[in-house]
């Protein structure tokens, strides 16, 4: 089965040679999203909570373009610039968007490009 690109103006335009998301039949995969305002192209906020909200709103837009929402997400991968310092603030915002049963999740510390958080998800169609 061929896969199909997911593209929406409600999420930031790719900054390189990648898609915002890929529809692969039963599964949808998103690119790693940063805290970029899709309307302005600017980074939003200087704290992890504000940036996490923007990232999750961007992911929500890509999922919506595929007819899905956070209830369809089965896997979350998160990169935090300051893992120990920012995990609690990130997790607090994360709980505003996801409900039990929570997706599986990997959260790692990473050297990011002038942002505090980047997240990608895998969602499954019912």
């Amino acid at each position: 089965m061929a896969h199909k690109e997911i593209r929406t103006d409600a999420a930031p335009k790719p900054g390189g040679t990648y898609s915002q998301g890929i529809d692969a039949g039963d599964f949808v995969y998103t690119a790693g999203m940063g805290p970029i305002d899709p309307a302005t192209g600017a980074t939003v906020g200087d704290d992890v909570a504000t940036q996490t909200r923007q990232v999750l709103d961007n992911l929500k837009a890509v999922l919506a373009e595929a007819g899905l929402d956070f209830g369809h997400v089965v896997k979350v991968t998160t990169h935090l610039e300051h893992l120990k310092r920012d995990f609690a603030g990130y997790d607090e915002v994360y709980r505003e968007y996801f409900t039990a049963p929570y997706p599986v999740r990997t959260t790692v510390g990473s050297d990011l490009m002038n942002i505090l958080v980047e997240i990608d998800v895998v969602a499954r169609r019912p």
Side-chain angles (χ1 to χ4, degrees):
M1 175 182 176
H3 56 274
K4 179 178 127 186
E5 179 181 28
I6 300 166
R7 181 174 291 265
T8 176
D9 290 336
K13 291 182 170 97
T17 51
Y18 61 89
S19 298
Q20 292 170 322
I22 291 291
D23 185 330
D26 289 345
F27 291 92
V28 168
Y29 300 84
T30 71
M33 291 283 164
I36 307 303
D37 180 328
T40 66
T43 300
V44 173
D46 58 1
D47 63 275
V48 77
T50 302
Q51 289 197 4
T52 299
R53 276 189 190 86
Q54 183 64 54
V55 169
L56 292 172
D57 286 344
N58 292 341
L59 288 166
K60 182 178 178 179
V62 174
L63 290 171
E65 187 68 19
L68 302 173
D69 60 33
F70 286 122
H72 297 100
V73 172
V74 295
K75 171 77 170 117
V76 176
T77 303
T78 301
H79 298 265
L80 294 174
E81 176 72 27
H82 304 286
L83 180 62
K84 291 179 183 176
R85 181 191 80 186
D86 287 344
F87 181 82
Y90 149 75
D91 193 56
E92 184 177 333
V93 173
Y94 179 93
R95 291 170 185 267
E96 296 172 12
Y97 289 78
F98 291 94
T99 58
Y102 297 106
V104 297
R105 180 173 78 180
T106 301
T107 305
V108 298
S110 295
D111 185 16
L112 300 174
M113 295 274 290
N114 302 315
I115 60 174
L116 300 174
V117 59
E118 180 176 325
I119 303 171
D120 67 87
V121 301
V122 178
R124 185 172 188 273
R125 284 190 166 44

